Amino acid sequence: MNKIVVNKKSVIESVAKMAEDKAIVRSYLKGNIPLESLKEKGITLAKPL
């Protein structure tokens, strides 16, 4: 059986990044920051169908 090793530090860092990204996207939707700042952070929004 393969043993899965979880690095606690990397998990905490990724959760913190997700929370930060969520706040940035919220501020974009409210109109507080431009789309270019999202692209600088590496966030791309999906195009609607």
Side-chain angles (χ1 to χ4, degrees):
M1 293 184 80
N2 293 336
K3 185 176 180 180
I4 299 173
V5 178
V6 178
N7 188 353
K8 220 176 197 183
K9 183 179 178 184
S10 65
V11 170
I12 291 172
E13 288 174 357
S14 64
V15 169
K17 186 177 182 325
M18 284 188 280
E20 180 185 337
D21 291 347
K22 183 178 176 181
I24 292 172
V25 171
R26 258 193 204 150
S27 62
Y28 166 71
L29 292 175
K30 289 181 181 178
N32 297 336
I33 60 172
L35 181 62
E36 289 80 25
S37 61
L38 287 180
K39 290 180 181 178
E40 288 174 3
K41 296 281 185 177
I43 300 171
T44 56
L45 299 177
K47 295 182 181 179
L49 296 175

